[in-house]
Amino acid sequence: MIPQQFIGSEAQTTYEQAKVVILPIPYEKTTTYRKGCQNGPEAIITASEQLEAYDLELEQEVCQQTGIFTTEAIASTKLNPDLAPEMMMEIVSNRVSELINDGKFVIALGGEHSITAAIVAAYQQQLSQPFTVIQIDAHGDMRHSYEGSIYNHACVMRRVLDMGLPTLPVGIRSICLEEAQLIKQQQIPVVWGRDIYQNSDWIDRAIALISTEKVFITIDLDGLDPSSMPGVGTPEPGGLNWYELIKFMRAVFTRHQVIGCDIMELAPTSDSVASEFTAAKLVYKLIAYAQLKVN
């Protein structure tokens, strides 16, 4: 159970009135290095109580313009450690479908990245038009299987590709041979981490690679550089900084129709709240871009 509301009393509203729904999914079964991402959703929501409601960039109190409602957590391995991946997929897909049918803009909080496949599957089932999945990440996550499971967090984007959806990985700086071969064979467009540092116009180049009007955004927090986001399970040097990420997010929201988002893989550290506070602020920026007109 996660009783707090995102950003606390600043955003109190009913489910019926809310435009944005925060969906905590504290599921963790396949993490392979530093564990703890099942604690991510609660840490983000707790940290959000320290956010200022006023957004300097948009010059508005976003939560006063947009009703935000935080639902009860689902698919929690904190409550059910033996929850199988197949059951998690069914629970998450069904719940996200309900929220879509109710007209909510969903921001899911993980939990491990494998959850994203279930969220994307729900959108694909509910929408008649194709959409692109934009993946902010340090890793390709395109293995067919890993450690004996096709539902491993290292396989999530392969499951999305299996759905026949276009993807745009951004910030990637670590892949295996299998993934390198798949990228070449399927001509998957990738914005590599080095591309971001070598090209000042990388955002325009990235946007040009999106082939659909609608997009879904999945953010593995290790897409950010570990200097600003140390609280992840598999950190990689050379990631995006805060302003690069939010500038890209604003461009995507401005030029495309974003149908939903998720933020995954926060594994809180014991000696600092920087990671969860940064993640909470990122959630708030996504809400701002989703619900307020940006020019």
Side-chain angles (χ1 to χ4, degrees):
M1 177 179 292
I2 297 177
Q4 308 111 303
Q5 289 289 306
F6 185 84
I7 210 170
S9 60
E10 296 279 0
Q12 289 297 322
T13 188
T14 65
Y15 176 80
E16 291 72 23
Q17 293 172 324
K19 297 177 182 177
V20 174
V21 166
I22 306 295
L23 176 62
I25 312 175
Y27 181 82
E28 180 175 19
K29 289 287 284 186
T30 71
T31 46
T32 48
Y33 192 13
R34 183 174 171 273
K35 300 185 183 299
C37 64
Q38 66 179 354
N39 301 314
E42 184 173 5
I44 292 171
I45 294 167
T46 298
S48 75
E49 297 179 359
Q50 305 303 318
L51 291 170
E52 291 287 359
Y54 184 76
D55 185 280
L56 276 168
E57 180 187 6
L58 300 180
E59 299 182 332
Q60 296 193 44
E61 287 194 338
V62 173
C63 61
Q64 301 302 328
Q65 305 294 323
T66 303
I68 305 168
F69 185 85
T70 305
T71 70
E72 291 292 337
I74 61 170
S76 173
T77 48
K78 298 178 73 173
L79 298 178
N80 184 3
D82 297 322
L83 184 63
E86 295 84 355
M87 184 58 67
M88 177 275 289
M89 294 283 290
E90 182 178 351
I91 292 169
V92 171
S93 183
N94 289 342
R95 183 60 175 135
V96 173
S97 292
E98 292 172 356
L99 297 174
I100 296 170
N101 287 332
D102 285 345
K104 306 303 182 184
F105 186 87
V106 182
I107 301 180
L109 307 180
E112 67 175 55
H113 208 178
S114 62
I115 299 164
T116 296
I119 300 170
V120 170
Y123 277 96
Q124 188 179 44
Q125 292 163 8
Q126 296 298 318
L127 300 180
S128 58
Q129 293 176 282
F131 57 93
T132 299
V133 178
I134 298 176
Q135 169 201 9
I136 308 296
D137 209 322
H139 309 91
D141 288 353
M142 296 182 224
R143 288 173 163 90
H144 173 69
S145 66
Y146 192 64
E147 295 190 338
S149 174
I150 64 171
Y151 298 109
N152 192 282
H153 71 107
C155 310
V156 60
M157 296 309 295
R158 186 65 167 267
R159 302 289 77 80
V160 172
L161 290 167
D162 288 346
M163 297 176 202
L165 294 170
T167 66
L168 179 61
V170 176
I172 307 300
R173 47 204 191 274
S174 180
I175 58 173
C176 68
L177 176 61
E178 176 191 352
E179 292 169 312
Q181 293 172 337
L182 181 72
I183 289 166
K184 290 180 180 179
Q185 291 167 359
Q186 296 196 12
Q187 297 184 319
I188 299 169
V190 178
V191 181
W192 303 101
R194 62 177 179 268
D195 295 334
I196 294 170
Y197 283 87
Q198 292 173 350
N199 299 288
S200 59
D201 63 344
W202 74 270
I203 291 178
D204 289 333
R205 293 187 182 194
I207 296 289
L209 296 171
I210 302 171
S211 60
T212 61
E213 172 59 24
K214 295 183 178 183
V215 301
F216 178 88
I217 299 171
T218 177
I219 301 175
D220 184 327
L221 288 170
D222 65 25
L224 283 160
D225 192 77
S227 61
S228 58
M229 181 57 63
V232 294
T234 48
E236 284 279 349
L240 290 97
N241 67 38
W242 170 257
Y243 287 107
E244 288 167 337
L245 177 57
I246 63 170
K247 185 177 181 181
F248 178 56
M249 290 293 96
R250 181 164 181 161
V252 172
F253 275 92
T254 302
R255 304 184 206 181
H256 289 270
Q257 181 185 350
V258 179
I259 58 175
C261 308
D262 69 43
I263 293 181
M264 299 291 168
E265 298 278 355
L266 174 71
T269 59
S270 60
D271 58 348
S272 172
V273 294
S275 295
E276 47 261 52
F277 185 83
T278 300
K281 190 154 189 171
L282 178 57
V283 173
Y284 201 47
K285 293 301 293 186
L286 296 179
I287 294 170
Y289 294 154
Q291 297 299 325
L292 300 179
K293 183 177 181 181
V294 291
N295 297 306

